[in-house]
Amino acid sequence: MVDSQIAARGIRDKRVLEAMRKVPRHLFVDEALWDQAYGDFPLPIGEGQTISQPYIVARMTEELGLKGDERVLEIGTGSGYQTAILAELSKQVFSVERIPSLLQRARTVLDKLGYRNVMIKLDDGTWGWKDYAPFDAIMVTAGAPVVPEPLLEQLSDPGIMVVPVGDEYSQVLTKIIKRDGKLFTETLEGVRFVKLIGDHGWRV
Ligand code: SAH
């Protein structure tokens, strides 16, 4: 998976490649899908949600430029797979999920794999996680109509956020850098995520 789908498409960060080699992706999907877990596509995880394609996980992670000492906020825990990758690469991960059954399953898998640097809560993640803000890096793994304002506020200075922004059918992966009190925005590539549903996202 890593050689043919990820390194071959230009992901160079050695730590990201190593994390993607290490985390057992199949454990984050239903056993019936284990033989497809390392394929070049997203997979259903229940509740109409999906685990992202491996390449997209790697790309979004690489863009955060993690060195190992960061506090990272993830919105949309889903299967917990992206959470595990972030936990391999940073000091602490705070992840928010709005669907209870997904959160429960993700928590079980992450506990089983021994990730002690992950905190997950059930909530509308478009509000961020104020108690633990600010965050050196923020990753949103659902498609937003606009960049949620609370997340911009909870981003450290300097800090980096990646978030898919667009309509419900397609989005552009957007990277926002906060530096010296200013925001710099860069667009990366077209993506398709499930909807970010919440007060600062889609209403339904
Ligand atoms: N990173 C996940 C991707 C899951 S899909 C993975 O690797 O599996 C996106 C997830 O975002 C879904 O689980 C969905 O329930 C969640 N989500 C959507 N809107 C949300 C919100 N406002 N707050 C928290 N989670 C949200």
Side-chain angles (χ1 to χ4, degrees), residues 12-59:
R12 293 280 168 266
D13 187 323
K14 287 209 171 59
R15 295 181 69 242
V16 173
L17 297 175
E18 204 179 297
M20 302 278 308
R21 281 202 175 90
K22 181 171 171 196
V23 178
R25 183 170 159 94
H26 66 280
L27 296 183
F28 294 86
V29 298
D30 200 273
E31 200 167 340
L33 298 173
W34 278 9
D35 59 340
Q36 298 179 59
Y38 297 89
D40 193 13
F41 36 75
L43 285 170
I45 54 172
E47 307 279 353
Q49 310 301 317
T50 52
I51 177 173
S52 305
Q53 178 191 5
Y55 164 72
I56 292 295
V57 172
R59 179 79 210 269

Side-chain angles (χ1 to χ4, degrees), residues 56 141-146 163-174 187-196 202:
I56 292 295
T141 63
V146 292
V163 47
V165 181
D167 61 31
E168 63 182 285
Y169 304 106
S170 71
Q171 305 92 30
V172 175
L173 206 52
T174 305
T187 53
L188 303 174
E189 63 181 284
V191 287
R192 183 169 183 174
F193 275 85
V194 296
K195 285 203 267 184
L196 179 74
W202 296 98

Side-chain angles (χ1 to χ4, degrees), residues 25 45 49-52 57 74-83 96-99 102 123-126 141-142 193-199:
R25 183 170 159 94
I45 54 172
Q49 310 301 317
T50 52
I51 177 173
S52 305
V57 172
E74 177 194 29
I75 308 305
T77 318
S79 67
Y81 176 68
Q82 173 77 72
T83 321
V96 187
E97 170 58 52
R98 64 180 283 274
I99 300 180
L102 295 180
D123 209 341
D124 171 5
T126 66
T141 63
F193 275 85
V194 296
K195 285 203 267 184
L196 179 74
I197 297 173
D199 293 341

Side-chain angles (χ1 to χ4, degrees), residues 88-130:
E88 289 285 341
L89 296 169
S90 65
K91 186 156 135 207
Q92 182 136 37
V93 183
F94 303 85
S95 187
V96 187
E97 170 58 52
R98 64 180 283 274
I99 300 180
S101 60
L102 295 180
L103 175 139
Q104 202 46 53
R105 209 168 55 196
R107 185 172 270 156
T108 304
V109 181
L110 291 165
D111 282 350
K112 205 152 81 188
L113 290 173
Y115 289 104
R116 306 233 172 283
N117 59 339
V118 174
M119 278 180 70
I120 306 180
K121 79 158 169 172
L122 186 70
D123 209 341
D124 171 5
T126 66
W127 288 99
W129 195 336
K130 215 165 172 214

Side-chain angles (χ1 to χ4, degrees), residues 141-163:
T141 63
V146 292
V147 181
E149 191 60 38
L151 300 185
L152 290 173
E153 284 161 18
Q154 292 175 26
L155 185 62
S156 294
D157 186 351
I160 303 181
M161 164 156 54
V162 269
V163 47

